[in-house]
Amino acid sequence: MIAVAFECALRRSEVLNLKLSNIDRKRKLLFIENAKGNKDRYVPISDDLIQLIIKYYRAYKPEIYLFNGKSKTDLRY
């Protein structure tokens, strides 16, 4: 998460709202929806970051958003 935010100069809300469908591996771009001023933009990503995202995906298997939070069933009181 930190690597994506740092390399792409994203705000916290932009990182948390990244969807898998926003990643274009062929063109090496991230599509950022509703960035500052409610404007959409594209951000270039490196091959190294793409590989890191692939490793993260294989380990955690996110479904819609790239970075999922804990579900309520995972919390222990």
Side-chain angles (χ1 to χ4, degrees), residues 34-66:
N34 298 323
K36 188 174 182 180
N38 288 328
K39 295 180 181 178
D40 299 337
R41 64 186 171 117
Y42 284 95
V43 178
I45 54 176
S46 67
D47 289 327
D48 292 336
L49 186 58
I50 291 172
Q51 293 304 314
L52 191 62
I53 291 171
I54 290 170
K55 286 180 185 178
Y56 175 83
Y57 178 82
R58 288 180 181 156
Y60 294 98
K61 309 266 189 289
E63 294 177 13
I64 297 173
Y65 290 95
L66 180 59

Side-chain angles (χ1 to χ4, degrees), residues 10-75:
L10 300 180
R11 293 171 178 82
R12 178 184 58 198
S13 62
E14 294 170 344
V15 173
L16 295 175
N17 290 320
L18 273 178
K19 297 179 182 175
L20 294 172
S21 60
N22 295 120
I23 302 169
D24 187 345
R25 292 182 1 192
K26 291 181 183 178
R27 296 187 332 176
K28 300 179 186 175
L29 294 172
L30 277 181
F31 178 62
I32 309 301
E33 297 179 74
N34 298 323
K36 188 174 182 180
N38 288 328
K39 295 180 181 178
D40 299 337
R41 64 186 171 117
Y42 284 95
V43 178
I45 54 176
S46 67
D47 289 327
D48 292 336
L49 186 58
I50 291 172
Q51 293 304 314
L52 191 62
I53 291 171
I54 290 170
K55 286 180 185 178
Y56 175 83
Y57 178 82
R58 288 180 181 156
Y60 294 98
K61 309 266 189 289
E63 294 177 13
I64 297 173
Y65 290 95
L66 180 59
F67 301 109
N68 291 327
K70 279 191 165 191
S71 68
K72 291 180 183 179
T73 59
D74 289 343
L75 298 176

